[in-house]
């Protein structure tokens, strides 16, 4: 899990360009001129959003409560598979190494195939195409997040544009070995003193997206990789050297993929399970 870069798009310009890219339909020839009349108010809402984005107070954004037909018009602006939104997705997912991160950072399991509305578009349709309100995500995370976004003015999910992820461990994994198979159990906890407010968001993020269970469902590839690494290395290198290389490689991954990257932590913990290692090196 890593932060994505914040878009450089000017939100007002972006809104204008999205609107300009739309076409009036034969059944609704006044769509664009109608949305133009909403613009002065949208500008005000966007200014408020921009301020809250910087000050970390998006959780207390008051929904404007737009209802149809205005809400329907605003929602019509958003369509994932359009050039402007795809360009935005590429912009924010391009890493400092100029490579596109195509893994959903909300879960670090699935590929990105949607844009999540940080403030949900159903309740806050005024931000349906605010570029800083759109976060690349997989459909599974997007679906689990659904319409939930805040509780008591506190966001329920990490905002990976702005929340600084701690270089402290909060994700833990235990591996046991019985009947010739490794069994994996993920937990989260805060024994390392992460700021309680940030940790409470981490906790609701992981819980509501079902991440621990989803990690456990996806361990096969990680376990297979470790087994194959050991298989091709043993006989060439000493057992401890192989284990040291696996640990070093995965710690290096944590420096770019996230300090609490589940695959890296699992790989390391697999090498700490002595009975499992004994079986693989026998
Ligand atoms: Zn996801």
């Amino acid at each position: 899990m890593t932060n994505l870069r914040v878009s450089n798009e000017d939100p007002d310009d972006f809104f204008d360009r999205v609107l300009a890219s739309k076409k009036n339909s034969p059944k609704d020839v006044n769509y664009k001129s109608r949305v133009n009349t909403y613009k002065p108010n949208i500008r005000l809402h966007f200014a408020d959003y921009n301020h809250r984005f910087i000050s970390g107070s998006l959780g207390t954004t008051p929904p404007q409560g737009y209802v149809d037909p205005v809400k329907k018009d605003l929602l019509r602006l958003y369509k994932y598979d359009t050039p402007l939104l795809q360009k935005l997705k590429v912009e924010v997912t391009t890493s400092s190494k100029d490579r596109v991160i195509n893994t959903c950072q909300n879960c670090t399991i699935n590929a990105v195939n949607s844009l999540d509305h940080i403030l949900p578009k159903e309740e806050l349709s005024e931000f349906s195409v605010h570029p800083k309100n759109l976060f690349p995500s997989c459909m599974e995370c997007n679906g689990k997040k659904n319409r939930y976004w805040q509780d008591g003015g506190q966001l329920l999910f990490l905002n990976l544009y702005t929340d600084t992820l701690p270089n402290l461990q909060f994700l833990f994994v235990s591996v046991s070995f019985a009947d010739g198979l490794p069994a994996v159990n993920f937990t989260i906890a805060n024994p390392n003193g992460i700021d309680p407010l940030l940790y409470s968001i981490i906790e609701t993020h992981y819980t509501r997206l079902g991440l621990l269970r989803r990690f456990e469902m996806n361990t096969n590839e990680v376990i297979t990789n470790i087994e194959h690494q050991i298989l091709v290395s043993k006989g060439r290198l000493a057992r401890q050297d192989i284990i040291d290389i696996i640990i070093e490689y995965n710690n290096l991954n944590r420096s770019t993929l996230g300090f609490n990257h589940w695959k890296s932590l699992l790989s390391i913990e697999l090498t700490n399970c002595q009975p499992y290692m004994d079986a693989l090196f026998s």
Side-chain angles (χ1 to χ4, degrees), residues 34-74:
R34 207 164 57 239
V35 175
N36 255 315
T37 67
Y38 311 152
K39 260 208 257 182
N41 281 335
I42 295 294
R43 292 275 197 266
L44 293 174
H45 307 325
F46 274 25
D48 183 51
Y49 188 104
N50 300 340
H51 169 72
R52 290 174 179 279
F53 187 85
I54 293 167
S55 65
S57 58
L58 283 174
T60 53
T61 309
Q64 296 303 313
Y66 286 118
V67 294
D68 291 343
V70 179
K71 177 179 173 180
K72 199 173 164 192
D73 284 345
L74 292 171

Side-chain angles (χ1 to χ4, degrees), residues 4-16:
L4 295 187
R5 61 167 63 172
V6 178
S7 171
N8 283 321
E9 292 281 0
D10 177 85
D12 294 345
D13 287 351
F14 192 76
F15 182 95
D16 290 351

Side-chain angles (χ1 to χ4, degrees), residues 185-208:
N185 183 48
F186 281 94
T187 51
I188 57 166
N190 188 20
N192 294 313
I194 295 165
D195 172 70
L197 188 60
L198 176 60
Y199 181 72
S200 77
I201 302 172
I202 290 170
E203 198 170 28
T204 51
H205 183 102
Y206 276 67
T207 305
R208 284 178 175 266

Side-chain angles (χ1 to χ4, degrees), residues 159-176:
N159 181 344
L160 293 168
Y161 286 138
T162 54
D163 289 332
T164 306
L165 293 166
N167 275 347
L168 294 167
Q169 193 168 349
F170 59 79
L171 179 66
F172 298 90
V173 54
S174 64
V175 176
S176 55

Side-chain angles (χ1 to χ4, degrees), residues 78-281:
Y78 173 78
K79 193 162 183 296
Y80 173 65
D81 199 14
T82 50
L84 276 169
L85 291 177
Q86 290 299 306
K87 188 167 166 275
L88 174 75
K89 183 185 84 168
V90 170
E91 182 199 0
V92 300
T93 53
T94 300
S95 72
S96 56
K97 292 184 176 165
D98 224 19
R99 295 195 291 262
V100 169
I101 301 166
N102 200 43
T103 303
C104 170
Q105 291 307 303
N106 281 326
C107 63
T108 59
I109 298 172
N110 301 325
V112 168
N113 54 9
S114 71
L115 287 165
D116 171 51
H117 288 77
I118 294 169
L119 306 187
K121 64 183 188 308
E122 278 303 316
E123 189 174 345
L124 296 104
S125 54
E126 55 272 31
F127 304 121
S128 67
V129 290
H130 189 302
K132 292 182 176 69
N133 195 44
L134 298 170
F135 189 87
S137 179
C138 71
M139 300 263 258
E140 191 173 0
C141 286
N142 214 336
K144 285 183 185 298
K145 186 169 174 268
N146 201 351
R147 62 190 168 80
Y148 304 103
W149 62 288
Q150 61 87 29
D151 184 21
Q154 189 60 57
L155 288 179
L156 294 170
F157 300 91
L158 289 163
N159 181 344
L160 293 168
Y161 286 138
T162 54
D163 289 332
T164 306
L165 293 166
N167 275 347
L168 294 167
Q169 193 168 349
F170 59 79
L171 179 66
F172 298 90
V173 54
S174 64
V175 176
S176 55
F177 187 66
D179 302 326
L181 293 170
V184 174
N185 183 48
F186 281 94
T187 51
I188 57 166
N190 188 20
N192 294 313
I194 295 165
D195 172 70
L197 188 60
L198 176 60
Y199 181 72
S200 77
I201 302 172
I202 290 170
E203 198 170 28
T204 51
H205 183 102
Y206 276 67
T207 305
R208 284 178 175 266
L209 296 184
L211 293 189
L212 303 180
R213 174 86 180 120
R214 289 167 66 194
F215 294 156
E216 286 163 11
M217 294 288 288
N218 283 278
T219 55
N220 174 56
E221 187 187 324
V222 182
I223 292 171
T224 303
N225 277 341
I226 291 294
E227 291 184 350
H228 286 178
Q229 280 177 52
I230 289 172
L231 191 65
V232 298
S233 307
K234 73 177 182 182
R236 303 185 198 189
L237 295 168
R239 169 173 169 162
Q240 194 54 50
D241 288 339
I242 296 168
I243 289 175
D244 287 348
I245 288 169
I246 291 173
I247 292 173
E248 202 173 319
Y249 167 79
N250 282 286
N251 276 327
L252 198 57
N253 276 349
R254 290 172 74 195
S255 70
T256 54
L257 301 175
F259 196 84
N260 288 275
H261 184 241
W262 69 277
K263 285 184 181 177
S264 308
L265 292 174
L266 172 57
S267 300
I268 292 168
E269 202 51 39
L270 287 166
T271 68
N272 285 333
C273 181
Q274 293 308 320
Y276 179 44
M277 289 297 106
D278 289 345
L280 291 182
F281 279 98

